[in-house]
Amino acid sequence: MKPIRVVIIGGGFAAVQFAKTLRKKLRPTECEILLFNRENHMVFHPLLADVAGASINVDAASAPLRQMLPGVGCRTERVQRIDPDSSEIEFDDGNGRLSRLRYDHVVIACGAESNVGIIPGMTEHAFAFKVMRDAIDLRQHIVHQLEYAEAASDRNRRCWHLSFVIVGAGFSGVEVAGEVNELVRSSTRFYRNFGKEDVRVTMVHSQNQILPEVAPALREFARKRMEKAGINIMLNTRAVAATNEGVELADGHMLTGGTIVCTIGTTTSPIIQALDVPKERGRIRTTPEMRIEGQTNAWAIGDCAYIINAVDNKPSPTTGQFAERQGRQAALNLVRIFKDEAVQPFRFKALGQLCSIGGYQAVAEMFGMRVSGFLAWFLWRGVYLFKLPTWSRRVKVALDWAWDVLFPRDLSFLNTDATQRLTHAYFRPGDLIQRQGESARFFSIIEEGEVEILKATAQDQEPRTVAILGQGDFFGEAALLGNRPHETTIRARTAVRLRQVGSGLFSQIAGKWGPLRDVLAKAVLRRSSDFWNRAPLIKTLLEGEPLAPFLDPLRPEPIHKDSTFADAMHALKEDPIGELVVLDETERLWGTLDRHDLYQIFARIAVVPADKREAVTQRRLSEFLAGNPLCVTLEDSALAAFATMLDRPISWLPVVQSKDDPRPVGYIRRERIIDHMIEKISSTQPQHVRAAAN
Ligand SMILES: Cc1cc2nc3c(=O)[nH]c(=O)nc-3n(C[C@H](O)[C@H](O)[C@H](O)COP(=O)(O)OP(=O)(O)OC[C@H]3O[C@@H](n4cnc5c(N)ncnc54)[C@H](O)[C@@H]3O)c2cc1C
């Protein structure tokens, strides 16, 4: 008889235990087991902090699945979709093709994903702490910071490199803070320009206690020990944003530092989000025996599943300990089904908790006993040592650990060229992104938000706004191409997200790709200070002119983003000029629509079958348009508005009350400003011509 096929998605604590147990209970002739995991190894998450802190090697915190699971077909492919109706999975075969595979039973054990994006700027500036890559990158980055600090001539900058902010004080936050602190402080003796007193490690936590999961006495022990080791713990403190400078707190205080680690925020994997089955806060709801509700041959276990524990009738916590037990008990239930026996509900009484706090110290609660200090740390390492798959690996790891106790931590790093990187950056309103006179390091593309270009001249006390850039615009090209310092300052007007290309990478792309080179050359010509020298008349005529006299009223009436596309067409038809402002639910500017946009949308609708077009026009406007339009405020000058329109090039812009109050108050049109200049020239021509000539 053909063996039944069990497909497991995931290769973490839950999946590995499931595969191991099933293989022990059923022979390969009875059951084929295929395990799909994105990586070819299992990660021991509790040891990730040690990898980041350079106290263990990477191989101590990971184990190759093939060696752990003899008799199981291990596949290093990412599953893209699960189709419970046809009992098939779809996966990327590594060559860009999607393959399908039928299963008799599927076990979903793909854990959780980190979601640092819940705090603005964390995606761009913080290290997440979930996968092996995060730990390796963090370790490299920390050692880099030590080298930068050694080289820094400015004391403030040195302190910034030596300041580390860890957001969250659950298990992973505490473990990573302890390890980072230990690595940095124990390494200061190898550097000449700074000492332990210059190091600042801060843990920020929104609750009134760290490690809420462990007993109060152990929690208190951990807090005191960590503070004694030099870690600054900020409780009842919420991080609200991250930037290149550090972490902004809810009270407005800025915690500066060159390293941010965000240990909070998780989400479910995209394949689970796309799966149409009952869920609870994103996790898959299961029956007591761990089958997905409403399914007979699909199971869910581990962090991605919402499983009620029969011991206390509460949902299982998302820990490795529970994931392992669920894996084992679900496999036994599957065997019971094959043997026509009754299935058992998930039932597990937690054995205890172990958490390392750095400096060879830990807190542990095992079988009702509480241990803290070095003994707990020894226990903690011993437990994970015996979870490793083979004796050869255990001996190797044990030797590594013994080495770490006796000798200093490894401070070597791979020197990756920062100028070759493509990175993201987040800035809060008012933050300076580049400064006039600074050397150029990045070419920046605006993904979200608006910036203003400021320029100070010898006569100006304060730099003045000369133009505004929005989504899709770029800056930094002139200084990079001309190999000279920035001639303008760029400041964020709203919250801004940038894609930044390092100077080395930029030179390679701009040098080799003709079309980009042309676009950049034109932009440099338009924006360079020479522009104003070559067009001094414009500057003379518009200098100091406020925007208000150029304002056109909002006509036709603004439309809301939830209106239908048909409503928008109707409104534009009525209007001879054909420009429309789109508002959000709070009457703030959300978008703009003109005849050109309308044409673009028509082009999209034209490909829809004729009988469906009417329905498409009834869809909401927000489905067709991108929000966040470029706009100017009543506080901006006519010169800045004109330069902004010339830069894109566009012929009109919506005007809002102010940066903090984005309610639209009218339009500004390029023609009106040009008419004004012509009028001025014709009335006082000789004087202006003389001024321009000077
Ligand atoms: C830093 C840190 C420290 C921790 N410390 C502890 C601790 O001390 N004690 C404790 O009990 N718990 C701890 N945990 C929690 C514990 O690690 C998790 O609860 C546990 O890993 C969950 O196991 P899992 O099998 O459900 O998922 P995971 O172990 O996360 O494994 C999921 C696997 O699925 C794979 N995958 C996901 N999507 C796909 C796809 N589409 N196709 C193929 N493969 C896919 C992933 O690559 C991953 O290998 C810690 C977690 C972290 C992040």
Side-chain angles (χ1 to χ4, degrees), residues 6-20 34-39 41-43 45 65 69 77 79 82 89 105-113 130 267-272 275 283-284 286 290 292 298-307 319-320 322-328 330-331:
V6 177
V7 167
I8 305 170
I9 305 169
F13 286 91
V16 165
Q17 255 332 301
F18 186 97
K20 253 188 195 168
L34 290 175
L35 180 143
F36 285 77
N37 193 48
R38 285 186 302 219
E39 304 85 27
H41 56 265
M42 173 187 170
V43 177
H45 292 114
L65 288 165
L69 300 170
E77 284 130 322
V79 175
I82 306 158
I89 60 159
H105 281 265
V106 67
V107 183
I108 306 175
C110 46
E113 312 257 328
K130 177 76 181 135
T267 183
T268 43
S269 149
I271 54 165
I272 293 180
L275 195 62
R283 289 159 71 194
I284 301 173
T286 73
M290 291 170 278
I292 297 175
W299 305 67
I301 49 176
D303 281 7
C304 68
Y306 184 84
I307 300 170
T319 65
F322 270 80
E324 273 194 337
R325 296 307 146 134
Q326 288 164 0
R328 190 179 137 70

Side-chain angles (χ1 to χ4, degrees), residues 328-467:
R328 190 179 137 70
Q329 293 187 24
L332 292 176
N333 272 337
L334 185 55
V335 174
R336 286 184 189 114
I337 289 173
F338 290 147
K339 295 186 175 165
D340 258 342
E341 292 171 10
V343 290
Q344 302 279 324
F346 174 67
R347 176 185 294 277
F348 175 56
K349 194 159 182 311
L351 303 174
Q353 306 274 15
L354 284 161
C355 181
S356 148
I357 56 176
Y360 312 111
Q361 302 283 313
V363 287
E365 250 181 314
M366 298 288 283
F367 308 108
M369 283 190 320
R370 288 177 193 157
V371 197
S372 54
F374 183 77
L375 185 63
W377 177 82
F378 196 73
L379 193 69
W380 173 77
R381 285 232 160 152
V383 167
Y384 288 108
L385 193 64
F386 279 91
K387 280 183 185 289
L388 292 174
T390 60
W391 272 103
S392 67
R393 201 170 188 87
R394 281 178 207 150
V395 172
K396 184 167 176 283
V397 170
L399 287 175
D400 272 359
W401 287 357
W403 180 276
D404 166 61
V405 176
L406 299 173
F407 299 102
R409 296 182 182 203
D410 187 358
L411 288 176
S412 54
F413 67 91
L414 295 174
N415 196 359
T416 48
D417 184 355
T419 71
Q420 293 291 338
R421 276 195 225 139
L422 184 66
T423 50
H424 293 268
Y426 172 82
F427 294 89
R428 298 162 307 157
D431 281 351
L432 292 185
I433 301 172
Q434 75 179 36
R435 291 175 177 81
Q436 193 169 341
E438 254 178 14
S439 59
R441 292 186 298 136
F442 297 108
F443 170 68
S444 304
I445 302 161
I446 303 174
E447 289 188 326
E448 216 179 289
E450 265 178 29
V451 304
E452 51 198 354
I453 305 179
L454 304 171
K455 188 155 175 62
T457 59
Q459 305 88 45
D460 296 330
Q461 298 274 319
E462 280 286 307
R464 277 177 304 159
T465 304
V466 291

Side-chain angles (χ1 to χ4, degrees), residues 61-72:
S62 61
L65 288 165
R66 272 171 217 294
Q67 286 167 286
M68 285 177 95
L69 300 170
V72 173

